[in-house]
Structures are given as C-alpha cells and as structure tokens.
Amino acid sequence: MPQNKQKSAKEKLIEFLENNRGLVVLFFCLPASFLFDLFLTAKRNIHRLLFSSPKLHETRAAKIQSQIRKWNESPKENRKLLCTSRPNWLSLSTTFFKKDQCHQIQVDLFDILSLDEENLTIRLEPMVTVGEITNYLIPKGYTLAVTLEIADATVGGLAMGTGMTTHSHKVGLYQENVVSYEVILGDGSLVIASKEENEDLYNCLPWSHGSLGFLVALTLKIVKIKPYIKMSYTPVKGQKDYCEMIRFLSGDDGTDYPVADYIEATIFNRNEAVIMTGQYSDYQPTLPINNVTNWYKPWFYKYVETFLTRGKHTELIPIREYLLRHNRAIFWVVESMIPFGNNPLFRLLFGWLLPPKPAFLKFTTTPGIRNFTFTKQVFQDIVLPIRKLEDQINVSEKLFDAYPLLVYPCKIYDHGEMSGQIKRPNPDYIVDGTNYAMYNDLGVYGVPGFVKRKEKYNPVDSMRNMEKFTRDVGGFSFLYADIFMTREEFEEMFDLKLYEIVRRKYFADGAFPHLYDKVKPEIDVFELGRQCE
Ligand SMILES: Cc1cc2nc3c(=O)[nH]c(=O)nc-3n(C[C@H](O)[C@H](O)[C@H](O)COP(=O)(O)OP(=O)(O)OC[C@H]3O[C@@H](n4cnc5c(N)ncnc54)[C@H](O)[C@@H]3O)c2cc1C
Ligand SMILES: *[C@@H]1O[C@H](CO)[C@@H](O)[C@H](O)[C@H]1NC(C)=O
Ligand SMILES: *[C@@H]1O[C@H](CO)[C@@H](O)[C@H](O)[C@H]1NC(C)=O
Ligand SMILES: *[C@@H]1O[C@H](CO)[C@@H](O)[C@H](O)[C@H]1NC(C)=O
Ligand SMILES: *[C@@H]1O[C@H](CO)[C@@H](O)[C@H](O)[C@H]1NC(C)=O
C-alpha cells in the first residue's frame, strides 16, 4: 500500500511538471541553460586564445591524419567504425547517434582560414558557427550565400547535412555554394573534392552526414550585401491565393522578372499566411528600423502574425538581425516549452535568457524525455516540389494538425544521372527553359493538435505517412531530424548509386557507418509505433 501511495505522489508530481513545463523551464532550465552557455562560450574562447591560429591548420589536420593511421594499424577485427568525438548534445540534429559504439577521432577545428574578396569565397574550418561567421563577414559587407537562422549551427554540419535558406530560390542549396571540401578519408589521406578534382566525392559529400570522411576545411561562396533588408509583410487569405503568390514570387513560372533576395511564408492556419519578401537595402529615412533580435521584442513569428489583422507593412531590418530572426524562439519550438514566453512582461523580465541553448536542451535529454518529445512533438523539415504546396499543407494538417508552418522556396538543380544522393527532379517540375525545379522547405515544428487536445495520435504512423507522401511527390526529408523509414524506403527517397561507389573508392566502407545507419534514430521506431496503438 505505502508503495502505491508513494508512486501516485510521484505520478502526481510528474503530471504537475508535465502540465507546468513552462514554470520548470523558467526556474530551472533557462538559468541553467544560461550558465551552461556562459561556460561553453568561455571554454571556446580559452581554446581559441590558446590554440587558435589559421597558420596551424595544416598541423591540426596532420594530427587527425595520424589518429586515423594509428586506427588503420590496429587489427581489422578490433576496429570500430570512425566518428568525430564531438558530443551528440553539441549538435543540432535531433537524433542521438550512438557515438560510444564508434572509434572517436578528435576534430577540433574552429578557425576562419582566409577570405578571398576577389573571387568572393571564404575558407573555413568546419566548426565555425553561423553566429561567428555572420559576425565576421557582415561588417566587411558580405554574408555566406546560404546560412541558417540558428546561431549555433556549424558551417561543417550544414555542409555534411543539408543547408537551405530563404535565399535558396536564388542560389540553391548550400551544396551548390561549396567551392571545395578538404576531407580526410578512412585510409588517413587528405583529399580535395571540387568540381575539378574528385568530382564524384564532391557530389556525394552533401547529405553524407560524416559517413564518407572527416571534413577538415571547406571553401564557400559569399555574396555582397547591404546593411539592411527591406522587408515587406503581406497577409494573404485563402489557401489557393497564398500558395500561388509564393510560387509566383519564387520565379516558378519561369517568366523573367526580378525576384526578391529573400522569400519566406508563415502559414498560420489552412486559410491564412503572411508572405515576407526581403530586399538588400541601404538606410532609407522614410522607413522604420526594426531590431527584431533585441531580447525584449516579440518573437519573430508572433510579430509576423500581427500583420494578419494589421495589413501590409514594410520596414528595414539590420541584415544580421534578419539572418538570425528566428534564433530567439528557435522558429516556434520554444513556445511548446514556455507557453507564456512571448508575454510582454515575461520578455521584459526574462527575455534575455532566450533562447534556451539547444546544446543544453540536448545535454539534459534523458531517455525518458527523448521518448516524451519523440511521441508528443513533431520536428521535421521536408524538401517538397512547390507545385504541390496545397497538398503539402493539407497532408500536414491531416497528419499533425500543427501550425504555424514554415515555407520558403529553393531551387533544386538537375545535375543529371549519378550526381549524388538528391534524386533528379521530376521533369514535370522543371522551370521552363532552365535546369532546375522549384522546391520548398516545409518546416513542421511543435506539438500536434491531437496531442494538445489529448486525442489519439500515433506519431510513427503520422510520420511514416508524411514520408510516403514525400517519396510519392519526389521530395526529401532533412536527415538532421528523425526518420521513420526502413532501409528500402530510404533508398527509394535518396539515390545511393553513386554514394555506394564513392564509399568503396574512397575507403569509407569498413571505416565509416553507412548513411542510413548514421541518421536513423537510436530508438526502435517500429516498436514505439506498436506501443502507441
Ligand atoms: C528548428 C530547426 C530548424 C531547422 N531548419 C533548417 C532549415 O531551414 N534549413 C537547414 O538547412 N537546416 C535546418 N535545420 C537543421 C540544421 O541544418 C542541422 O541541424 C545541421 O546539421 C547543422 O547542425 P550542426 O552544425 O549542429 O551539425 P551536426 O548535427 O553536428 O552535423 C550534421 C552532420 O554532419 C556530420 N558532421 C559534422 N561535422 C563533421 C565533420 N567535420 N566531418 C564529417 N562529418 C561531420 C555529423 O556527423 C552529422 O551527421 C534546422 C534545425 C532545427 C533544430
Ligand atoms: C582568384 O581565383 C583565381 C583563379 O582560381 C586565382 O588565380 C587567384 O589567386 C584568386 N585570387 C585570390 C585573391 O586568391
Ligand atoms: C538597431 O540596429 C542598428 C544597426 O545594427 C543599430 O545601429 C542600432 O543601435 C540598433 N538599435 C537598437 C535600439 O537596438
Ligand atoms: C522509451 O521507449 C521505448 C519504446 O517504447 C521503451 O522500450 C523504453 O523503455 C523507453 N525508455 C524510457 C527511458 O522510458
Ligand atoms: C486542400 O484542402 C482544402 C480544404 O479541405 C480543399 O479545398 C483543397 O481542394 C485541398 N487541396 C488539394 C490540392 O487537395
């Protein structure tokens, strides 16, 4: 009996904590996360002071090579597959790859190596973050052609993962803007992969998630910018109308009109969206300036939502603030943790504590919490043909009923047969007179409506249905998020023909985990699905 009573008290406590997650986050997580961030930043700065020097790049790369050569000397049957020793919790990926089952190689590469203003390129070590590179480039009048709205993302993580942004309808995916990769292979050799050298490897490194080699440097294209983004917010009612407007603005109909530098839409419900277009701009005295990242400001998507009732609006946003506009609320992920986080009083008192450091959230994710978030939240970015935008929204609503949705267009180039993991776009989607199709990112983040209303919801069924829809229309799931596919389904979504050849040719077989094994969740999703029945 006492056992029972105690258990129910514990259950009550758990129930209370689950129902008042915001308070727990406020009084425990945010302060702890803040200290955690201070500690990580200090550690990184000390590391930088002591060890950083672009001149020592070759020495650092040689050290990694020697670790791999040593691994090669040990007997084959004792060798575990290779991965970096960067802890899982530092990465933004939602999966927890089992690094303890690998032989871990230290890849501590944090430096900006060189800027080439003549050719508009920059050479970087892979662990430079988006926050650091924007701080470095923007005062010089540049930014990376493709970055991410999250300051903690790394340039190497984006290169080995996806990398897609609101400028991608002009310049395509991150991988289109990589001039070259410098990679250490499973045999310890260092090779350059570019369009001129080792082109097959160059084509397979994007979407490879560290399954082909260790990236030690990369050269990226940069673009010239102006100090501000002139941002226009246009509310549109009616699904057909807002979808058509997004497609028109992206240039999907092939007519030759100037498209905006940045395009994004936030869809607040089936019938209402706010479409944002941004143009590089100098200061204009007639337009208001909005410093959207200041800590006391409303969360960006909440601010955007106000235009549904206020009508069209135009303003200037300093460019770095534009690029990091979604950082404070991690798009709208923070809302499910702190439901009252956008309250003006909260912002005034505690706004400076946001965002909770993604690394801290992952660091404190126990297997129980992981189970909880896995089954009660959705976290997906999916690349889908923009001509199917209405279907995407309808399918997402049916399966998750989670709004808002993030949408922004992106060019997907047709590079021909055997050109990497991304399948060639269906000829039906090719923009007339070009070699690309217009796709879009569909970002679905947060707590599904079914879970909010405590209705029946099977996350595995919903996710698998979404993936089936994605395969049927020729789209791709971002692999930083959890996938629910079998290996056969995965090989239907991605084209692994060249990848398998490259794995054999460049000593990745037997040295690095296979892509599917690297990105599949550490949780048995099929078992979990049965338990949710
Ligand atoms: C809410 C949210 C929204 C997002 N929206 C977008 C979006 O709109 N567009 C977009 O592009 N991305 C988006 N992302 C995903 C983001 O791009 C990924 O998390 C990306 O992988 C960058 O994270 P990271 O730097 O922590 O990389 P990691 O997760 O650390 O790395 C990514 C992969 O690369 C491998 N890797 C890393 N470094 C190396 C190396 N030196 N050598 C070999 N392999 C390496 C890792 O093993 C891993 O498999 C979003 C993420 C979140 C959380
Ligand atoms: C620009 O690229 C050209 C051709 O690759 C090269 O010769 C030149 O040195 C580069 N410029 C700089 C400043 O590095
Ligand atoms: C807004 O940003 C601009 C440009 O970065 C800066 O000069 C200005 O001081 C900022 N204003 C506020 C109130 O933060
Ligand atoms: C997480 O879920 C899996 C599958 O349902 C289960 O086997 C496991 O025990 C759970 N772990 C925790 C810590 O709750
Ligand atoms: C999407 O759903 C709406 C409302 O149910 C419907 O009117 C519309 O035809 C659907 N669109 C497509 C492409 O199925």
Side-chain angles (χ1 to χ4, degrees), residues 18-232:
E18 278 179 3
N19 291 335
N20 295 280
R21 192 141 177 247
L23 293 178
V24 178
V25 171
L26 171 58
F27 290 111
F28 170 68
C29 290
L30 283 183
S33 159
F34 187 75
L35 294 177
F36 190 80
D37 190 18
L38 282 184
F39 171 74
L40 281 187
T41 309
K43 191 168 160 225
R44 204 168 160 124
N45 286 340
I46 290 169
H47 190 278
R48 176 155 294 136
L49 272 177
L50 295 181
F51 303 110
S52 157
S53 158
K55 284 193 210 90
L56 293 179
H57 170 75
E58 272 70 34
T59 318
R60 289 191 289 264
K63 246 168 91 183
I64 297 168
Q65 286 181 286
S66 77
Q67 291 178 69
I68 297 175
R69 292 210 184 96
K70 222 170 111 198
W71 172 84
N72 267 296
E73 283 158 15
S74 62
K76 220 172 183 147
E77 58 280 8
N78 298 347
R79 278 186 225 158
K80 292 195 222 164
L81 297 178
L82 298 167
C83 72
T84 68
S85 62
R86 185 173 185 233
N88 262 317
W89 49 265
L90 265 180
S91 117
L92 286 175
S93 308
T94 57
T95 42
F96 286 76
F97 178 68
K98 289 189 174 137
K99 292 216 162 187
D100 49 345
Q101 293 174 7
C102 283
H103 181 87
Q104 299 180 17
I105 301 286
Q106 216 173 333
V107 182
D108 287 341
L109 301 166
F110 301 98
D111 274 355
I112 296 169
L113 298 174
S114 59
L115 173 68
D116 178 349
E117 293 183 82
E118 186 186 319
N119 296 310
L120 289 180
T121 61
I122 186 161
R123 184 165 169 252
L124 301 162
E125 289 187 337
M127 277 149 90
V128 173
T129 66
V130 165
E132 291 163 350
I133 194 65
T134 44
N135 271 339
Y136 174 84
L137 282 177
I138 286 171
K140 298 184 166 58
Y142 306 106
T143 182
L144 294 181
V146 177
T147 69
L148 188 67
E149 289 83 353
I150 303 179
D152 286 335
T154 63
V155 296
L158 289 167
M160 300 290 95
T162 304
M164 181 167 159
T165 181
T166 50
H167 190 52
S168 289
H169 63 289
K170 285 203 143 175
V171 295
L173 293 166
Y174 196 87
Q175 65 204 64
E176 309 285 349
N177 298 285
V178 178
V179 179
S180 66
Y181 305 89
E182 293 161 50
V183 185
I184 297 179
L185 304 176
D187 67 344
S189 60
L190 174 68
V191 297
I192 293 180
S194 67
K195 280 185 187 151
E196 290 77 38
E197 252 177 288
N198 301 313
E199 194 191 359
D200 44 4
L201 181 61
Y202 175 84
N203 285 333
C204 289
L205 281 168
W207 302 76
S208 72
H209 287 262
S211 67
L212 293 175
F214 292 110
L215 183 66
V216 292
L218 71 170
T219 303
L220 297 170
K221 288 187 197 162
I222 56 175
V223 291
K224 281 210 170 89
I225 54 165
K226 289 184 176 171
Y228 295 94
I229 293 292
K230 180 178 164 188
M231 186 82 153
S232 292

Side-chain angles (χ1 to χ4, degrees), residues 265-296:
T266 308
I267 298 173
F268 290 95
N269 58 58
R270 188 193 300 156
N271 289 314
E272 289 181 299
V274 175
I275 298 175
M276 287 155 270
T277 51
Q279 210 75 46
Y280 294 124
S281 171
D282 291 310
Y283 176 67
Q284 295 184 22
T286 52
L287 289 174
I289 294 180
N290 186 359
N291 297 62
V292 293
T293 59
N294 283 352
W295 53 270
Y296 48 84

Side-chain angles (χ1 to χ4, degrees), residues 296-334:
Y296 48 84
K297 289 272 178 169
W299 287 348
F300 187 68
Y301 75 100
K302 285 289 184 193
Y303 172 65
V304 172
E305 190 175 22
T306 63
F307 298 112
L308 288 177
T309 45
R310 286 160 63 192
K312 202 172 149 82
H313 174 71
T314 301
E315 66 190 11
L316 295 177
I317 303 179
I319 187 150
R320 183 167 196 273
E321 304 210 13
Y322 171 81
L323 294 174
L324 293 173
R325 69 201 175 284
H326 286 301
N327 188 55
R328 214 155 24 100
I330 318 184
F331 294 90
W332 30 92
V333 173
V334 174

